[in-house]
Amino acid sequence: MRFPTYLIVSLGLATGACSSISDSRYNPMNWGQSEDIAATLAPEDGYLVLQDNRNLIAQVTNLTVVNAQGGVIVHATGLPPTQGYFDAELFPRNEEKPEGATLVYEFRVLEPNRQQRVSSEVSREVIVAHFISTAKLRGVNEIKIVAAQNSRSSRAQ
């Protein structure tokens, strides 16, 4: 019973010392070790990039910046050319990184599917708000909202 055990141990040590077998899968010293495989969850074709179909609103008519816990809330009022504009958002330029000392946002809206009435300015107003954290406001002196025909800005407090 001791002879087979000694034989297996001596063969294992002998093949482990051989240079041609040392990196092979037949070497018992390599058993149980995993290969370094770079695992990734990224899709082979890359990530899907969605395009934003929204346009800049015609005008920004009002801008207020209100202090809130952990940052500020930016309220902006825009005026499109007709009624029916929807899905408004203050879309950050440059991934919310300041341009100089200014954070710049574009006031984007989606146009109505069919022709709408012009009516009064009050009935066409689109109001949107956006929270900006204190961390993103570090080093920022001004917040600017851009529209197609104008822009408005507010100094940071």
Side-chain angles (χ1 to χ4, degrees):
M1 186 72 143
R2 289 186 173 186
F3 181 72
T5 307
Y6 290 127
L7 182 65
I8 291 172
V9 171
S10 62
L11 281 174
L13 291 174
T15 56
C18 295
S19 63
S20 62
I21 300 176
S22 65
D23 294 330
S24 77
R25 61 187 176 122
Y26 299 114
N27 183 354
M29 300 303 245
N30 292 337
W31 294 351
Q33 295 178 359
S34 63
E35 295 179 21
D36 292 336
I37 299 174
T40 180
L41 297 176
E44 292 178 9
D45 301 336
Y47 291 103
L48 177 66
V49 178
L50 299 176
Q51 291 185 346
D52 193 356
N53 297 2
R54 297 175 295 181
N55 296 324
L56 291 176
I57 198 159
Q59 298 176 32
V60 178
T61 57
N62 190 18
L63 173 64
T64 56
V65 178
V66 179
N67 287 328
Q69 184 175 355
V72 296
I73 300 173
V74 179
H75 295 269
T77 305
L79 189 64
T82 64
Q83 292 179 338
Y85 281 74
F86 64 101
D87 194 20
E89 181 185 7
L90 292 178
F91 190 81
R93 267 195 201 166
N94 199 20
E95 298 175 2
E96 277 190 304
K97 294 179 183 142
E99 297 174 7
T102 304
L103 270 177
V104 181
Y105 292 88
E106 296 176 348
F107 195 139
R108 293 188 183 178
V109 290
L110 203 61
E111 292 183 28
N113 296 333
R114 56 186 178 168
Q115 191 172 3
Q116 299 287 325
R117 296 177 0 160
V118 174
S119 195
S120 67
E121 285 188 8
V122 175
S123 68
R124 292 182 281 152
E125 283 183 345
V126 177
I127 301 171
V128 69
H130 182 75
F131 177 78
I132 305 171
S133 69
T134 306
K136 291 178 184 172
L137 288 171
R138 231 174 250 130
V140 173
N141 295 333
E142 183 178 26
I143 298 169
K144 184 177 183 179
I145 309 299
V146 177
Q149 297 174 2
N150 70 343
S151 65
R152 294 238 174 182
S153 61
S154 176
R155 292 274 179 198
Q157 300 167 352

